[in-house]
Amino acid sequence: RIKLQRGASLALVVRGPDAAPIVGARVRALDSRGVPLASFQLAKTDASGEAVLRGFAPGVYRVVVESAEHANKLSEVFAVSAEQEASLILRLEAGVMVTARFRGELPPGAVGSAASYSIWTEKGEYVRSGFVRVPALQAKGQQSASIPLGRLAPGSYVACIETAQLGVLEQRRKVPARGSCVWTFDATSATKKR
């Protein structure tokens, strides 16, 4: 016999630095350590900056809010019990635009190939991920054009970029409190996956 339960839900309100609602922000459920859930529970905020995530088993969770115009925001840990509705208000900050560049020798087929990236806090908490195309180097041994990785709050991060041709590039980087930030990845330091 199998008994199904409705599960708990989380209602969120997402605001910007000026308290205005953030429309179209993506909300992702994480475990209590800040790692995305295998079920990838996602929602987008509406015109009021509100979103609801449903179907949580009783337990302890976090959420991350991702917005193109703001730094991602990781919530504090919260607990839900069976069929409970929890609520949370998160305020996003503007953040600093982070771009990436490659330098060194790119292997054949790397230029134009898809690369996945992920950014984590130094504590191992998920911040942002996505896909980009590997740009051509300006000249042999020179740097590539910049590719946008999004806005991040000031702090220290671990960034990982992976392609089939390059392998894995992982680096620790800092984001300043103001201005912009360029992270340079050395293509010759990639480690091949086994």
Side-chain angles (χ1 to χ4, degrees):
R1 230 173 134 161
I2 297 174
K3 180 181 178 185
L4 298 177
Q5 291 184 320
R6 198 177 90 207
S9 62
L10 173 67
L12 291 106
V13 177
V14 180
R15 304 274 184 226
D18 58 357
I22 303 295
V23 178
R26 190 167 65 172
V27 180
R28 180 187 307 254
L30 310 172
D31 70 14
S32 62
R33 297 166 299 153
V35 176
L37 294 174
S39 63
F40 289 102
Q41 292 179 332
L42 295 169
K44 280 199 172 186
T45 56
D46 62 17
S48 301
E50 298 175 9
V52 178
L53 291 170
R54 292 184 170 83
F56 287 95
V60 182
Y61 301 94
R62 296 177 98 167
V63 294
V64 65
V65 178
E66 303 172 8
S67 168
E69 295 83 25
H70 300 85
N72 288 11
K73 177 76 172 187
L74 183 65
S75 76
E76 295 297 321
V77 174
F78 62 91
V80 294
S81 56
E83 298 187 24
Q84 169 196 13
E85 179 168 309
S87 63
L88 192 60
I89 298 174
L90 292 175
R91 182 163 286 185
L92 304 184
E93 56 185 272
V96 172
M97 179 51 102
V98 176
T99 57
R101 289 185 179 168
F102 294 96
R103 74 166 174 232
E105 195 86 20
L106 291 175
V111 173
S113 67
S116 65
Y117 73 90
S118 60
I119 301 172
W120 303 75
T121 67
E122 286 189 321
K123 296 177 186 176
E125 301 161 329
Y126 173 83
V127 177
R128 177 183 294 277
S129 63
F131 294 92
V132 294
R133 294 270 175 212
V134 176
L137 297 178
Q138 295 168 348
K140 189 172 181 153
Q142 297 293 313
Q143 291 187 0
S144 71
S146 295
I147 49 177
L149 299 180
R151 293 186 167 276
L152 296 174
S156 298
Y157 297 92
V158 176
C160 181
I161 295 181
E162 181 175 349
T163 73
Q165 296 81 10
L166 286 171
V168 179
L169 297 164
E170 184 176 301
Q171 297 182 358
R172 295 188 183 285
R173 292 287 185 243
K174 291 190 182 283
V175 173
R178 290 190 175 88
S180 61
C181 184
V182 178
W183 292 347
T184 301
F185 290 85
D186 186 349
T188 59
S189 68
T191 58
K192 293 290 183 187
K193 282 190 118 173
R194 295 178 189 176

